Amino acid sequence: MKRVEPARARVVDLLYYMLKNGMEGAWKKGSSYGSTYTTQFVYASARCMPDLISHSSIGVDGLFSGTKEGGIRCFHASPAVWARRGDEPFGLKTPKKEKYIRREGRNQPPVEARYVPRNVKAPKSNSDKTVEIFEGMTLDELAKRTGKSVSSLQDILTNVGEKLESEFEPLSMDIVELAAMEVGVNVKRLHSAEGTEIVPRPPVVTVMGHVDHGKTSLLDALRQTSVAAREAGGITQHLGAFVVVMPSGASITFLDTPGHAAFSAMRARGAAVTDIVVLVVAADDGVMPQTLEAMSHAKAAKVPIIVAINKCDKPGANPEKVKLQLASEGLLLEEMGGDVQVIEVSALQKSGLDNLEEALLLQAEMMDLKARIDGPAQAYVVEARLDKGRGPLITTIVKAGTLTCGQHVVVGSEWGRIRAIKDMAGRLTERATPAMPVEIEGLRGLPMSGDDVIVVHSEERARMLSSGRTRKSEENRLRRKLNEDIPSTLESSEEVPQRVEMPVIVKADVQGTVQAVTDALRTLNSSQVLVNVVHVGVGPISQSDVDLAQACDACIVGFNIKSPPIALSQAATRASIKVILHRVIYHLLEDIGNLIIEKAPGTFETQVAGQAEVLNIFEVKGSKTKGPDVKIAGCRVVEGFVARTGTMRLLRSGEVVFEGLCASLKREKQDVDSVKKGNECGLVINDWYDFKIGDVIQCLEQVVRKPKFIKSESGAVRIEC
């Protein structure tokens, strides 16, 4: 062996001695060195030696022929190991297996403990996220906006049959919307007018105001027709669109909105699509609730307002008062240094119409209204209805582009191919230009009012986009329903009175009216009755509606539709199904309100049924057979009546002394059930014997108080429990 340092020489010597003479000899030799460190080192190295030898091909002699440590890597044992071992002999022994001890209570049932929810914020779902998309958007840009990877979006596009060579390749807006819907986000389409022809277009004017303030009459005076005379009840209950050619030759597209409180959604849709709002206020009535609501809709849509003070020919008209009311509500009139024009008109006398036309054209000129006429059209659904012979029909206003026959369109979650286009006069036309209201025929289903009309390139693309939107809307509906059904864990544990459910099926003439009636019925919900709209539809009542009503015990509400056939009416009568048909929203809500009151369980209340005054006191001695002594209060009923089944309350000097049940009530020695006002009687109260002359006894009874149907001046209704 080569010469090495003394400490290392000892270690190498011990290891060599161990391999030649065994572990016992190495231990004795190591003890002779007197070094605990050396002994520990030998023991730790010895434990690794068998594996070292078995994997070595040079043998014991050749093992230490290298330089320095001879290629051996030693492992040091900790002093704690030696302290635990004590005088235990060394050796490569297999450790003994400890005896397995079964833990007690492992199979015991879990202890019931109160669950304490942790305050963990739920991640924001993608359904609440809205991204803006545009024509020519790249996959990379879409991935950044949606927060998804490019590879996942590529897989989605591959599934819909779209092949991409690069993530920077421009995509059509329809494909981008499909990919965005697949990852669960909402989209907002942005349209660009670059490279297209921009031309002036007519203004779209929405007439808004309170009910019965003369909106439709004013439009009749402008277009020389009589629409108001044809409306049921003399009030507008639909959203109408038409073009009026003014005396100056300019064309203006008008939207007529209902004024009743139930048609708030219609007014909001009218403000969303319009350029100018004409706010009609009656000079003899002033600012009313729906006037303020119309102002709010116009301000929310950032649309300029022109005020038309109508009925100025009436004796009680006060236009100056109306102006002050509008100014107090934050409307800056021109006369007061603002920019809101005010025109005084009379629809009946047809006065002031020229000034109104001039104000509208001036406002439109200031706004410089223009739109592109080439390229795919963008349109807005004003109203939708179902015709028996022509199928689904939608009234739309084109916002940009040109809508032509034969194009494939997607409207909301419905799709179709335009079969015919008619203007508001009922004439067929091949195309519709911006600001032109038209009626479209050819959709597969009935869309919702307020949906956008999108033109796509092919039927396949229309089908895919429609199915994706249908799936997305269904997911959103189920999510909203789930959130409504699951109560919050932080709600109080107080008992909530059980509500009676009243299922309702709603049928109406157009989609917008269906939505308005449904919203109005839901406002009649109370703590006692829940109005559950199980089905809505457009068109007359059918046999399937009667079958559904019979299955869920619902009543059928028909608004502005034809009466069902006699056979269908008889079938509904046999099945005890209540059918309510009306053409005026006032009468419909009143009938439904009365039906709710009739169905409501009511609340139990205690009220004073009558009052008696104690005039004398009689004492009847008891016996073994008759029982203990009895004190009888001789009374005269001074108010209402006193009943034996009621609870008696004893008042003395205006303070309640005792309450108890009536043990006996007699009149002229005869037991009676009740005694009316002005008659005298004898009265015994359980467990009370201390009557005094002049005491007052009140008879209390439990009554059921039904809810009340309340209708305000603005037409809004509610149920008060």
Side-chain angles (χ1 to χ4, degrees), residues 134-155:
F134 51 87
E135 189 71 27
M137 191 175 188
T138 63
L139 198 64
D140 182 66
E141 180 68 23
L142 181 62
K144 292 178 181 178
R145 299 195 179 197
T146 58
K148 302 296 180 179
S149 63
V150 175
S151 59
S152 62
L153 294 177
Q154 283 178 338
D155 294 340

Side-chain angles (χ1 to χ4, degrees), residues 398-446:
V398 180
K399 296 189 288 187
T402 302
L403 198 65
T404 59
C405 286
Q407 289 180 330
H408 291 90
V409 293
V410 177
V411 187
S413 57
E414 303 294 338
W415 72 279
R417 183 176 179 270
I418 299 178
R419 190 164 56 242
I421 299 177
K422 289 186 177 182
D423 59 13
M424 290 296 99
R427 297 186 298 265
L428 286 172
T429 180
E430 289 295 324
R431 51 189 297 170
T433 54
M436 182 177 177
V438 292
E439 190 176 66
I440 296 176
E441 176 184 340
L443 289 182
R444 299 297 182 95
L446 200 64

